[in-house]
C-alpha cells in the first residue's frame, strides 16, 4: 500500500486548535488523521471527501501548520471571515470590532456598494 502523509492541525470554527500535531494519512483505501500528542487516530474514513465532510459536520477544518493566521486588527482573535480593508490590510472579525475603529456609516462609504476598498470576505479553503 502506498501512503501519503502530510502534517496538519485541526481547528474548530472559532480557530481553537483541536489537534496541534496531526498527520493526515492518505491511501487508496483509507484517509485518517493521526494525533501525535494523543498517540491515536482521531478521525478515519475511506476517502478524503468523507473525512472533510465529517470534519465540517463537527465544525472542524484541517489547517496547514505553516498557514499564516489571520488575526482581527482590533481584538486579536484568529479569524476565517470578516471585514477587510485593502488600503492598509486591516481586518476585523465582527461589526463590534469594526465600529471600535470607524462608524458603520464610514465603512459604507469606503465599501461603496462593493466597488470600494473595504468588503466582507472569508478565507476558507475550497
Amino acid at each position: 500500500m502506498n501512503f501519503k502523509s502530510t502534517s496538519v492541525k485541526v481547528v474548530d470554527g472559532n480557530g481553537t486548535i483541536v489537534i496541534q500535531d496531526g498527520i493526515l494519512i492518505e491511501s487508496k483505501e483509507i484517509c485518517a488523521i493521526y494525533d501525535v500528542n494523543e498517540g491515536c487516530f482521531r478521525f478515519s474514513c475511506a476517502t478524503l471527501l468523507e473525512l472533510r465532510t465529517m470534519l465540517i459536520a463537527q465544525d472542524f477544518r484541517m489547517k496547514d501548520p505553516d498557514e499564516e493566521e489571520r488575526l482581527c486588527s482590533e481584538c486579536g482573535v484568529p479569524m476565517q471571515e470578516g471585514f477587510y480593508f485593502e488600503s492598509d490590510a486591516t481586518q476585523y472579525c465582527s461589526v463590534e470590532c469594526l465600529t471600535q475603529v470607524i462608524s458603520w456609516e464610514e465603512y459604507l462609504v469606503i465599501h461603496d456598494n462593493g466597488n470600494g476598498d473595504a468588503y466582507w470576505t472569508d478565507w476558507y479553503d475550497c
Side-chain angles (χ1 to χ4, degrees), residues 37-56:
N37 296 330
E38 296 291 324
C40 64
F41 287 95
R42 296 276 298 272
F43 304 99
S44 61
C45 290
T47 66
L48 184 57
L49 176 61
E50 287 177 1
L51 180 63
R52 288 183 190 272
T53 302
M54 179 193 317
L55 292 172
I56 289 168

Side-chain angles (χ1 to χ4, degrees), residues 55-66:
L55 292 172
I56 289 168
Q58 298 178 51
D59 196 25
F60 296 152
R61 71 177 183 90
M62 286 186 283
K63 177 181 168 196
D64 180 335
D66 298 327

Side-chain angles (χ1 to χ4, degrees), residues 7-105:
S7 295
V8 296
K9 289 183 181 182
V10 176
V11 297
D12 67 15
N14 296 319
T16 304
I17 297 173
V18 176
I19 298 177
Q20 175 69 39
D21 298 313
I23 300 172
L24 172 64
I25 300 169
E26 296 177 81
S27 75
K28 289 183 180 180
E29 292 81 20
I30 191 167
C31 185
I33 298 176
Y34 182 78
D35 187 333
V36 173
N37 296 330
E38 296 291 324
C40 64
F41 287 95
R42 296 276 298 272
F43 304 99
S44 61
C45 290
T47 66
L48 184 57
L49 176 61
E50 287 177 1
L51 180 63
R52 288 183 190 272
T53 302
M54 179 193 317
L55 292 172
I56 289 168
Q58 298 178 51
D59 196 25
F60 296 152
R61 71 177 183 90
M62 286 186 283
K63 177 181 168 196
D64 180 335
D66 298 327
E67 179 183 314
E68 183 180 328
E69 287 223 284
R70 292 171 187 87
L71 304 176
C72 177
S73 298
E74 179 63 19
C75 71
V77 70
M79 54 188 278
Q80 285 298 312
E81 59 186 26
F83 297 94
Y84 185 76
F85 290 78
E86 289 181 345
S87 62
D88 60 3
T90 55
Q91 51 207 11
Y92 303 95
C93 65
S94 65
V95 172
E96 291 78 19
C97 283
L98 173 72
T99 55
Q100 292 295 314
V101 179
I102 65 170
S103 71
W104 184 249
E105 291 74 24

